[in-house]
Amino acid sequence: MQERLSPTQQQLIEAFQRGFPTTSRPFATIAEQIGSDEGSVMAAFADLKNKGYLARIGATYATGRVGASTLAAMEVPQSELEKVAEKISRFTEINHNYEREDKLNLWFVITGATRNDLVRTVEAIEAETGHTVHLMPMIEHYRLDLGFNLQWN
Amino acid sequence: MELTELHHRLIEQLRNGLPICPHPYAVIANTLGITEEGVISALDQLIENGLINRFGMILHHRALGYQANAMCVFDVPDPMAADIGRAMARLPYVTLCYRRERVAGVWPFNLYCMIHGRDKHTVRAQIRHMTARLDLCDMPQKVLFSKRCFAQRAGKYGAVPFTAKNMAGGQHGSA
């Protein structure tokens, strides 16, 4: 996959998963830092987006300090899994939703502004799917999301 | 740091990502009805105070070639969880590491780490290395590889309590 990334795109991925500039013209700031020009940098970002590498330029938050969130899991019969997963993904409060290899086979993250919002979402999901949502809220984190390396570990 | 209504609205706007154009903060400012400087200073506050732990490119790891994503869970004695968790977090292949609440009668595991790797074979070798290195062989544990990804997008952390748009809109629109 990585062969299709241009040197500029690789450079962007290595340098700007953190510390994206908060200047008036951030793409021009980046261009200055990597020795390019604003138009080329914007084109490189747009191409990464179009090709599905870049989800968005945005923020990840310190869990527990902004809003509320919890990991959740559900046991869903295989025959219903796709339908139930689709129902859950339709909730805008869900930000990750994965099938995993276990009896508890559907894992998702519920987000909200407050804990009460989480409770309401859980109740709505249970009502809509007919399955129990098990919650595994975080107690402490030891490593937060730092982005991905292009080099393999 | 106390979050203001503006911070909440900014957080909500950032879910869509920054537009790729010469003045992206001005575009967000326009939507929020404030100045570009106002957006940048509110964002800088969130970053400087550590509420935003990372601001930048959020990537689809599967597209980048990280095809195997393992959630490793362990049932470790609570008093040992922090020490083991911190040691786990120092391993170069561990991308996330948390202590979570157990679910009585359903899920006894309290320590979680994520390993994203090129393929299952590589990730399995890393898990073997981790369990040996941290002496976890005797702890109850499971490895849950991900299969299908049904959704991966930004969390909805911003409350937008005071706007007419929010009051009128349905809660579960398509994202």
Side-chain angles (χ1 to χ4, degrees):
Chain A
M1 287 279 181
Q2 290 171 43
E3 298 76 60
R4 284 192 261 137
L5 297 179
S6 71
T8 303
Q9 289 173 329
Q10 294 190 25
Q11 223 178 337
L12 293 176
I13 288 176
E14 273 153 23
F16 294 103
Q17 291 183 62
R18 284 185 277 171
F20 190 90
T22 55
T23 54
S24 176
R25 301 184 75 143
F27 298 101
T29 306
I30 290 173
E32 244 168 69
Q33 289 176 25
I34 67 169
S36 182
D37 62 90
E38 188 183 34
S40 306
V41 168
M42 285 198 301
F45 271 100
D47 187 56
L48 284 170
K49 185 106 202 269
N50 290 337
K51 288 185 173 153
Y53 295 107
L54 176 66
R56 64 189 178 280
I57 300 165
T60 65
Y61 297 92
T63 311
R65 292 188 61 196
V66 176
S69 67
T70 181
L71 180 66
M74 205 180 239
E75 182 182 341
V76 187
Q78 203 59 38
S79 60
E80 283 180 51
L81 186 63
E82 217 159 303
K83 209 176 67 197
V84 169
E86 196 187 305
K87 279 182 183 171
I88 291 174
S89 293
R90 236 179 275 143
F91 283 82
T92 56
E93 292 84 353
I94 299 301
N95 74 335
H96 287 84
N97 187 13
Y98 278 92
E99 176 186 9
R100 290 193 180 276
E101 296 171 338
D102 195 71
K103 199 161 90 112
L104 286 179
N105 52 354
L106 195 59
W107 290 78
F108 45 96
V109 174
I110 308 172
T111 62
T114 66
R115 288 201 68 84
N116 278 340
D117 292 328
L118 299 185
V119 172
R120 271 200 299 275
T121 303
V122 168
E123 286 168 356
I125 289 174
E126 287 184 334
E128 192 149 323
T129 62
H131 297 291
T132 305
V133 176
H134 301 293
L135 299 182
M136 294 85 166
M138 194 190 84
I139 298 171
E140 198 176 10
H141 66 78
Y142 308 112
R143 186 180 170 100
L144 290 168
D145 176 11
L146 300 175
F148 287 96
N149 290 320
L150 277 181
Q151 277 87 38
W152 299 107
N153 295 315
Chain B
M1 172 185 173
E2 197 72 30
L3 290 187
T4 63
E5 191 204 335
L6 171 63
H7 290 124
H8 281 290
R9 292 171 61 211
L10 176 60
I11 288 167
E12 185 61 23
Q13 273 304 309
L14 285 175
R15 289 186 85 192
N16 306 322
L18 216 56
I20 297 169
C21 62
H23 293 278
Y25 300 110
V27 173
I28 291 180
N30 237 339
T31 315
L32 297 178
I34 60 168
T35 64
E36 182 189 40
E37 294 73 33
V39 167
I40 290 175
S41 87
L43 184 56
D44 281 338
Q45 280 168 9
L46 292 172
I47 296 169
E48 279 158 24
N49 285 284
L51 282 88
I52 287 180
N53 74 61
R54 179 161 86 78
F55 184 65
M57 302 169 74
I58 298 182
L59 302 167
H60 285 299
H61 54 82
R62 286 190 175 192
L64 278 177
Y66 286 84
Q67 292 292 326
N69 152 354
M71 182 172 82
C72 309
V73 297
F74 300 85
D75 172 9
V76 305
D78 288 331
M80 293 170 68
D83 281 345
I84 299 174
R86 286 190 203 106
M88 232 172 225
R90 280 196 294 271
L91 298 171
Y93 44 80
V94 167
T95 42
L96 295 164
C97 185
Y98 300 110
R99 182 177 158 209
R100 297 185 177 279
E101 286 177 22
R102 309 162 197 271
V103 184
V106 175
W107 195 251
F109 307 103
N110 61 339
L111 189 61
Y112 290 62
C113 75
M114 301 292 304
I115 300 179
H116 292 81
R118 190 199 320 236
D119 52 50
K120 281 191 183 181
H121 180 75
T122 313
V123 171
R124 282 204 188 94
Q126 289 167 332
I127 295 168
R128 280 196 301 275
H129 174 264
M130 173 170 69
T131 49
R133 174 88 176 260
L134 304 182
D135 207 11
L136 298 171
C137 301
D138 296 333
M139 308 280 184
Q141 57 195 272
K142 265 189 185 180
V143 176
L144 287 79
F145 277 100
S146 67
K147 292 169 87 177
R148 278 173 288 179
C149 171
F150 295 110
Q152 186 200 343
R153 58 177 174 244
K156 183 176 183 156
Y157 296 106
V160 198
F162 310 117
T163 63
K165 192 179 148 204
N166 183 55
M167 299 302 285
Q171 215 180 350
H172 306 140
S174 60

